[in-house]
Each structure stands twice: as structure tokens, then as C-alpha cells.
């Protein structure tokens, strides 16, 4: 494997963390920057929670719960259970050790520090050498308009278990929020830009929607490679297929490629979707099919290796 050079990963939560686990095994930590979605952030019981940032940090620190994908392995939930004696809205399960993260972040933000500064402190404290950048220090909130009315992202995903039919998705604050310090530079200076197998609508779209980000990804001379979050039309976890259907798309790699159209040089899809390769290559994309289910570190590294070699291949122009 030639040195991959500097890699910038656009990431949501659980799916991104699985790929990142593999990239971190192949790329020097100082060459790896993760730009993380913060439009899932919300305040629970007075605490600012950044679920995707925490999932990425915990994964890189080796603390994440492999089964759940979020929170800290073997965490207890005594505090949230005790809180349930006073209030009924404890549906967002904050673990006892996880609480330390939210307490620290909330205190620091209240003292006027920026989310990107606090995240750098957390990474350092957890021994994480990879650069973890929240996409913005400004407030962006994904709002899901459903037949039952307007829901915050966590109300939709966790409280309602992604059952309401999605009518539309909005990103409150996206026009005024700025990319966090270092985000545009990380993309512009990358030798490879990777779009993680995260939900394209609620994890990747908020990042690309920030002022200047989509243009930076389009402008970069680095190959841009995405990993499909779908396997045979279904996501490993989460509502991506339901959202695609609700928004009038078939849950397949083609509409996904359309969503990223002007940005992608390559796409890694699961073998289950190999029938779509000719149509994807017809759009000028380089396509690799592999087993994209990253249910072990070995699988994560295998998919990460495919991403890096597809990026290498994409550096040479396609035979016209
Ligand atoms: N997801 C759930 O399905 N149920 C939960 O109770 C829950 C709590 C939670 C606490 C902290 C955290 O960082 C993430 C948490 N998540 C939970 C996952 C979260 O909703 C998703 O990881 C992201 O928002 C989507 O990527």
C-alpha cells in the first residue's frame, strides 16, 4: 500500500465509526482528519449532547460499545434511571460514564469555549491522535417534517424509532453556520477525501450543506470516494432506506451516486448491489464491490483498504 497521504473523512455516527476504525489501522493518525456531523446534536436534561462526535471519539479511543454503536462499552444507566423517577422524558439513554462527556462539554460551552476547542480537549484527554473536527461551531439542527408534525432528529430516530413517514428534512441554521476552523483546509489539503457510509440525508448532507464545503470537495484535486451505507437496499442500521423511499428514491447505490453526483470519483458498494455496477460506471464512476458489512475490525480494515486503493486508481484518468 503506497502511503495514503492525508485523508479527510466526512462522517456521521455509527457507520462512519466502523470505516474509521479501518482507516485508522492503515493511515497515520496525524494524516487522518474526521469532519463530523453535528446536526444530530441536542440538549437533554440541560446537557449538550453531540452524538456523532462522541461515537467517533469513543471509537477512536477504543471505548465504544460494539453492539450498540453509540455510548461507552459496558456503561451503566443508573443516573438516567434515577432521573426517570422525576421526569418521564428519559427516552434518550445517557450512560453514567457517557454523562462525564456531556457534563464536560456543557460546562466548557457555557464558559464560552467553541465546540471545536472542546472536542480537541476531549480527543487529547482520550488519547486520540486523529484530528476530530465538528463540522461547525455554529448551531445546525436537522428537523424531520413527518405526517405527525415536526420532530427533532433524535425525537424522530430514538423516541419514535424512525417510524413516522418522512415528508421532508430541513437543516435549521445551515445557512448562517460556518465550517469549523480547519474543516475547509482539511478538505483542500487532503490527498484523499472519503465520504463515510453514513446516512446521506441526515449525516452527510449537513456537512456538505455548510458554506464552502461542497465547493471545496468539488474543487479538490484529490480523489473523492464514498462508501455506500446500503447493502442490498437496506442500511446496516438506521432509516436511510425509509428516507430514500419517502423522498421518492429507490434505496440503491444509483440515487446515492446522484446525491453526491458532482463530487464522486469512486464508490464502494456491497457485493449484494453488484448489478448496479454497469449503470454506475456509465456515470463515469469507478466502482469497487466488496463485503461492506464492517462487523469486525478486520472487516473494517478490509473496506478501508478498498477505499484507499480505489482512490489510488482514481488518480489515473479513466480511459476515455
Ligand atoms: N440511540 C438510540 O437508539 N437510543 C438511545 O437511547 C441513544 C442514546 C444516545 C446517547 C448518546 C449518544 O452519543 C448517542 C445515543 N444514541 C441513541 C445514538 C444516536 O441517536 C445516534 O448515534 C446518532 O444521532 C445518529 O448517528
Amino acid at each position: 500500500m503506497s502511503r495514503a497521504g492525508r485523508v479527510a473523512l466526512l462522517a456521521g455516527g455509527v457507520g462512519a465509526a466502523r470505516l474509521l476504525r479501518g482507516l485508522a489501522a492503515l493511515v497515520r493518525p496525524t494524516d487522518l482528519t474526521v469532519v463530523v456531523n453535528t446536526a444530530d446534536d441536542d440538549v437533554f436534561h440541560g446537557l449538550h449532547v453531540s452524538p456523532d462526535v462522541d461515537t467517533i471519539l469513543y471509537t477512536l479511543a477504543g471505548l465504544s460499545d460494539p453492539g450498540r454503536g453509540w455510548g461507552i462499552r459496558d456503561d451503566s444507566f443508573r443516573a438516567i434511571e434515577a432521573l426517570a423517577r422525576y421526569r418521564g422524558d428519559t427516552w434518550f439513554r445517557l450512560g453514567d460514564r457517557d454523562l462525564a462527556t456531556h457534563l464536560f462539554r456543557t460546562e466548557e460551552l457555557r464558559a464560552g469555549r467553541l465546540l471545536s476547542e472542546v472536542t480537541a480537549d476531549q480527543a487529547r484527554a482520550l488519547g486520540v491522535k486523529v484530528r476530530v473536527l465538528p463540522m461547525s461551531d455554529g448551531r445546525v439542527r436537522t428537523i424531520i417534517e413527518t405526517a405527525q408534525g415536526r420532530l427533532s432528529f433524535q425525537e424522530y430516530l430514538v423516541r419514535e424509532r424512525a417510524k413516522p413517514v418522512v415528508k421532508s428534512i430541513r437543516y435549521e441554521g445551515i445557512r448562517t453556520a460556518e465550517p469549523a476552523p480547519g474543516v475547509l483546509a482539511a478538505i483542500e489539503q487532503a490527498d484523499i477525501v472519503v465520504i463515510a457510509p453514513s446516512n446521506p440525508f441526515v449525516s452527510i448532507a449537513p456537512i456538505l450543506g455548510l458554506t464552502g464545503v461542497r465547493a471545496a470537495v468539488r474543487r479538490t484535486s484529490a480523489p473523492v470516494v464514498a462508501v455506500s451505507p446500503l447493502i442490498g437496499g437496506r442500511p446496516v442500521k438506521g432509516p436511510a432506506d425509509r428516507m430514500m423511499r419517502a423522498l421518492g428514491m429507490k434505496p440503491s447505490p444509483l440515487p446515492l451516486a446522484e446525491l453526491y453526483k458532482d463530487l464522486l470519483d469512486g464508490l464502494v458498494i456491497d457485493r449484494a448491489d453488484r448489478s448496479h455496477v454497469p449503470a454506475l460506471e456509465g456515470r463515469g464512476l469507478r466502482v469497487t464491490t466488496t463485503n461492506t458489512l464492517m462487523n469486525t475490525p478486520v472487516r473494517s480494515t478490509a473496506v478501508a483498504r478498498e477505499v484507499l486503493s480505489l482512490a489510488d486508481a482514481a488518480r489515473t484518468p479513466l480511459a476515455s
Side-chain angles (χ1 to χ4, degrees), residues 13 40 51-52 54 70 91-94 98 153-154 157-158:
D40 288 3
D52 287 349
D54 292 343
W70 51 266
W91 45 267
F92 196 75
R93 314 291 298 155
L94 297 172
D98 193 26
F153 178 70
Q154 301 300 345
L157 180 77
V158 177

Side-chain angles (χ1 to χ4, degrees), residues 12-15 37 40-41 44 49-55 58 68-71 77 90-95 98 102 153-154 157-159 161 202-203 237:
V14 180
N37 167 47
D40 288 3
D41 291 15
F44 292 99
V49 180
S50 296
D52 287 349
V53 170
D54 292 343
T55 296
Y58 290 158
R68 283 197 307 261
W70 51 266
F77 294 84
T90 56
W91 45 267
F92 196 75
R93 314 291 298 155
L94 297 172
D98 193 26
H102 313 312
F153 178 70
Q154 301 300 345
L157 180 77
V158 177
R159 196 188 67 198
R161 300 196 188 302
V202 293
S203 296
K237 187 174 165 19

Side-chain angles (χ1 to χ4, degrees), residues 9 20 26 34 46 50 85 99 128 132 141 154 157 166 179 182 228 244 260 279 295 298 301 306:
L9 174 71
L20 181 57
L26 300 173
V34 195
S50 296
R85 287 203 287 262
L99 273 176
V128 170
V132 178
R141 292 195 71 203
Q154 301 300 345
L157 180 77
V166 175
S228 167
M244 289 180 90
Y260 298 141
N295 49 2
V298 168
T301 304
E306 293 287 2

Side-chain angles (χ1 to χ4, degrees), residues 155-174:
E155 286 168 340
Y156 163 77
L157 180 77
V158 177
R159 196 188 67 198
E160 303 304 326
R161 300 196 188 302
K163 292 212 177 356
V165 175
V166 175
K167 289 166 69 178
S168 67
I169 301 170
R170 288 189 293 114
Y171 312 103
E172 263 175 15
I174 193 87

